[in-house]
Amino acid sequence: MSRPCRTPAVALGLLAGLAACGEPAPQVTWISLAEGLSPPPIEDGQLWATTAGGHPITLELEPGNSSPWLSARLGSDEWKPAPKEGLWWTTRPVRGFGKDSEGRYQELLVDGKPVTFREKHGIDSTEATDEDLYATAGDRLFLYTADGRRPGDALFRTFADRGQLQGPAWRVHLDRFAACDGLPVWPGQALEVDTPIPASSALRFATAANGMPASFGGASLVFRIELDGEPLFEHTLRLGKHAQAEWHAVDLTGEARDSTRLSFSVEGPAVLSAFLSPTLGPGEVGSLAHRPWGAKRPNIVLFVADTFRADLMEVYGGDPAITPTLNALAQHSLTFEQAWSPSTWTLPSHASLFTGLFPEQHTVTHADNLLPLELVTLAEVLRDAGYRTCAKTDRGWVTESRNIDQGFETFVEGTKDLDEMLSVTRELLAADDGRPLFLFLHTYQTHIPYRVSPQTRSEFGDRIEFGDYATLAAEWFEDSAEWNVGGELSAERKRALELYRNLYLGTAIDLDKSLAALFTLFEQHGVLDDGVFLFTSDHGEAFYEHETIAHGYGLWEENIRIPLVIAGGSVTPGLSPRAATLVDVPRTLAQAAGVASPSTWLGRSLFELNEDRPIFAFECSPRRDPDLMAIYRQGKKLILPALEPALRGGELELAYDLTVDGSETEDRSGEAWAERLLDELSDPTSLLLAPRVNSASQNLSADDEAQLRALGY
């Protein structure tokens, strides 16, 4: 494919306008090769490749989809019996990624008839059924035949998402590299891009591919780039069980060229592959701390520790031994004593974190909601200002499938693994291309299941009794709703709850240790020499303070009080008594970057708070209809239905004076001050109940549901 010559995507000069010597600063240019991309169309019925078993894989197009289905046939003799009667298996012939316009992502037809999908554990537990069922698990394809017969010839189809134009650039999706700007080039294909090449430049990108079935044993892909027909780059990427990516920089020193043609191709077995974040930029970039061209925008790191209560830190009343790294950070940071999450669970809170809106406004209030694409996110604003925007999340709700990736050039979804977070961060820092960095890191480390490392168990075992999570969960915590019925706990339940809370503390200890390693990594790369680091959470966790456990239900402080700490060379440290909310974060970090905030964002820059103002939180619980909301101002807290009639009619459910009752034990909704406060704040609060956009929704995929079940949902 070829296309017209492009202009630079980002042209960034010295922010101060003058170099140190007083001369005008040289202009520095970056060109995204994924910007404005339109890949060549797929031909329906085209033979793409062959499976390890020698079966042809065909590309099939259906109406409404520009991405194809990958179709592979299986012979009856390829099915092998499994130990369970009636269960058969074979090697999964091909892997796709994503869902089509109707939400489908794979299909199995046996003897021309469609088979019902069920997750593998569902098939294993099936006692008797009148229908055939199939499942995929790892490298294998399973088929349960109701009458026990050997399966006949089969057709396995899986959707292969080539990506789409989102914002300025083409987005590709490869397993854990869930959403990245890139060029979708599969084995046997080539893609040509016409572009100018600035003088003394380099081409930086990652070669990436999905994981492969074990049957391909040690297979590799060869990635190639040609410049005006001449070989420029060749790299062999060894395939593994999971998606792989390796970053590269190709030197293009020499005079500027107004028009060149770059050809990208891949050779190897049938696997989805791509060139991620292909960017032309300066050949010499210095370091994240010091650029050859002088002044620059600051690097920004946003770290969200999911389910992290404020009182895990000493500054919020916690045990100083639990989080010494964070405690030390708070001593040299701008720390907000009173910070609230806008919701009691992950998805609505993250939508607020990036859009600067409250849940009822951005409409992401339920599990099937998507972040509407028409809303402007913090990542989009920073990307448009010249930032390289990167994210690593622990998946769950913080995913591309919920549109949380909006504005991120590189969005990596992984597992609940702190070492993995450090490894991905190290790779992203090493791929520096000269642009300022916006890095979003998210972890479920302090979320159930509570896993405490052997090192922490050994180090703290003499003062904290850590039980076994699996045993505790199976006996006492299989269903958190069983604890949300109120009443006095038995001695046995109190003991179980104590051990459960201890495990939660252990996860915070492990997180704090990893943060120490992360700060060392940042120091090595100069990330925060003149940058900004913001640490916070999306909600807390209840341990029966108000006769509930976990989160997502109840607007008490244990669920919505969060830490909010901002560090950096340009940040004046101190302890702020002003009330803060995650809705303030977009304007705060935009100001740190020297970028104007969109008028659509609510909140205030936390660097400019000089007066008290009300802040708000919404329960967004599937257990309650209508939704509840909380209003907080100067230590007074109101809880009421999130409905206009309730607001105007003074229908308070609860009211607390946190200045004298921080544990929220005495309801004061009948006192005169509560009625006066609600009446005073009814007009500004009413604005928060009106949606800014139409809501968007999509059912969770089976894969998403499996990930969320692993997190206790």
Side-chain angles (χ1 to χ4, degrees), residues 176-398:
R176 69 188 185 102
F177 302 97
C180 302
D181 293 358
L183 310 178
V185 185
W186 299 348
Q189 299 178 347
L191 191 150
E192 294 179 343
V193 177
D194 290 347
T195 180
I197 295 181
S200 302
S201 60
L203 174 61
R204 295 177 176 86
F205 56 92
T207 51
N210 265 357
M212 287 292 292
S215 58
F216 278 77
S220 300
L221 292 182
V222 179
F223 290 77
R224 295 187 178 92
I225 303 175
E226 293 183 352
L227 174 60
D228 290 335
E230 297 295 325
L232 176 67
F233 168 85
E234 181 173 307
H235 174 72
T236 300
L237 179 69
R238 186 177 178 82
L239 300 173
K241 182 178 180 180
H242 303 291
Q244 307 289 320
E246 296 178 8
W247 292 88
H248 312 276
V250 179
D251 186 25
L252 296 173
T253 55
E255 296 295 322
R257 283 165 276 188
D258 292 334
S259 179
T260 62
R261 176 163 295 178
L262 289 167
S263 176
F264 299 82
S265 63
V266 179
E267 179 184 326
V271 58
L272 307 189
S273 53
F275 293 81
L276 304 182
S277 300
T279 305
L280 288 165
E284 176 56 48
V285 298
S287 70
L288 282 158
H290 304 287
R291 301 300 189 191
W293 46 88
K296 63 179 185 65
R297 296 192 190 276
N299 302 307
I300 295 174
V301 180
L302 172 58
F303 193 107
V304 174
D306 206 290
T307 324
F308 191 97
R309 289 171 58 130
D311 60 9
L312 288 170
M313 294 175 60
E314 182 180 14
V315 69
Y316 297 105
D319 183 341
I322 301 300
T323 57
T325 301
L326 283 170
N327 296 339
L329 176 73
Q331 291 176 2
H332 301 91
S333 304
L334 177 58
T335 301
F336 290 85
E337 294 180 290
Q338 304 172 72
W340 268 13
S341 170
S343 181
T344 63
W345 62 288
T346 301
L347 183 58
S349 290
H350 277 81
S352 292
L353 175 71
F354 286 114
T355 64
L357 297 171
F358 286 96
E360 301 290 335
Q361 296 176 304
H362 59 57
T363 71
V364 185
T365 58
H366 295 94
D368 62 348
N369 288 145
L370 307 175
L371 183 63
L373 293 176
E374 57 264 46
L375 293 177
V376 180
T377 68
L378 172 64
E380 288 176 304
V381 168
L382 294 180
R383 177 200 63 198
D384 293 345
Y387 274 80
R388 178 173 167 245
T389 53
C390 303
K392 161 63 176 72
T393 81
D394 280 357
R395 202 172 174 182
W397 297 109
V398 191

Side-chain angles (χ1 to χ4, degrees), residues 29-54:
T29 301
W30 288 266
I31 302 173
S32 168
L33 300 184
E35 185 167 321
L37 178 72
S38 180
I42 293 289
E43 181 181 342
D44 185 30
Q46 174 184 346
L47 175 64
W48 176 37
T50 57
T51 68

Side-chain angles (χ1 to χ4, degrees), residues 12-255:
L12 198 63
L14 262 180
L15 299 181
L18 294 176
C21 62
E23 294 298 321
Q27 190 177 65
V28 187
T29 301
W30 288 266
I31 302 173
S32 168
L33 300 184
E35 185 167 321
L37 178 72
S38 180
I42 293 289
E43 181 181 342
D44 185 30
Q46 174 184 346
L47 175 64
W48 176 37
T50 57
T51 68
H55 300 295
I57 298 176
T58 337
L59 304 179
E60 299 178 354
L61 287 176
E62 293 186 353
N65 293 300
S66 58
S67 294
W69 285 78
L70 309 179
S71 176
R73 297 190 176 277
L74 297 165
S76 176
D77 59 347
E78 294 182 67
W79 294 100
K80 304 173 182 65
K84 177 182 173 67
E85 185 177 353
L87 186 63
W88 305 80
W89 71 273
T90 187
T91 298
R92 187 175 1 177
V94 65
R95 288 185 181 179
F97 189 82
K99 295 178 284 188
D100 74 355
S101 57
E102 297 179 8
R104 301 174 301 161
Y105 68 100
Q106 64 182 20
E107 296 178 343
L108 179 68
L109 289 82
V110 178
D111 294 329
K113 298 178 180 179
V115 181
T116 300
F117 174 82
R118 183 172 294 177
E119 291 189 42
K120 178 61 166 56
H121 70 86
I123 289 183
D124 290 340
S125 62
T126 297
E127 295 299 329
T129 177
D130 293 333
E131 64 175 340
D132 293 351
L133 304 169
Y134 86 96
T136 52
D139 299 333
R140 294 189 173 185
L141 174 64
F142 292 89
L143 176 62
Y144 173 79
T145 55
D147 57 6
R149 74 186 185 285
R150 170 179 283 278
D153 293 341
L155 176 68
F156 180 71
R157 304 173 73 231
T158 182
F159 189 68
D161 190 350
R162 298 179 78 204
Q164 66 282 324
L165 193 64
Q166 181 178 316
W170 191 265
R171 305 283 278 170
V172 297
H173 313 285
L174 293 174
D175 197 16
R176 69 188 185 102
F177 302 97
C180 302
D181 293 358
L183 310 178
V185 185
W186 299 348
Q189 299 178 347
L191 191 150
E192 294 179 343
V193 177
D194 290 347
T195 180
I197 295 181
S200 302
S201 60
L203 174 61
R204 295 177 176 86
F205 56 92
T207 51
N210 265 357
M212 287 292 292
S215 58
F216 278 77
S220 300
L221 292 182
V222 179
F223 290 77
R224 295 187 178 92
I225 303 175
E226 293 183 352
L227 174 60
D228 290 335
E230 297 295 325
L232 176 67
F233 168 85
E234 181 173 307
H235 174 72
T236 300
L237 179 69
R238 186 177 178 82
L239 300 173
K241 182 178 180 180
H242 303 291
Q244 307 289 320
E246 296 178 8
W247 292 88
H248 312 276
V250 179
D251 186 25
L252 296 173
T253 55
E255 296 295 322

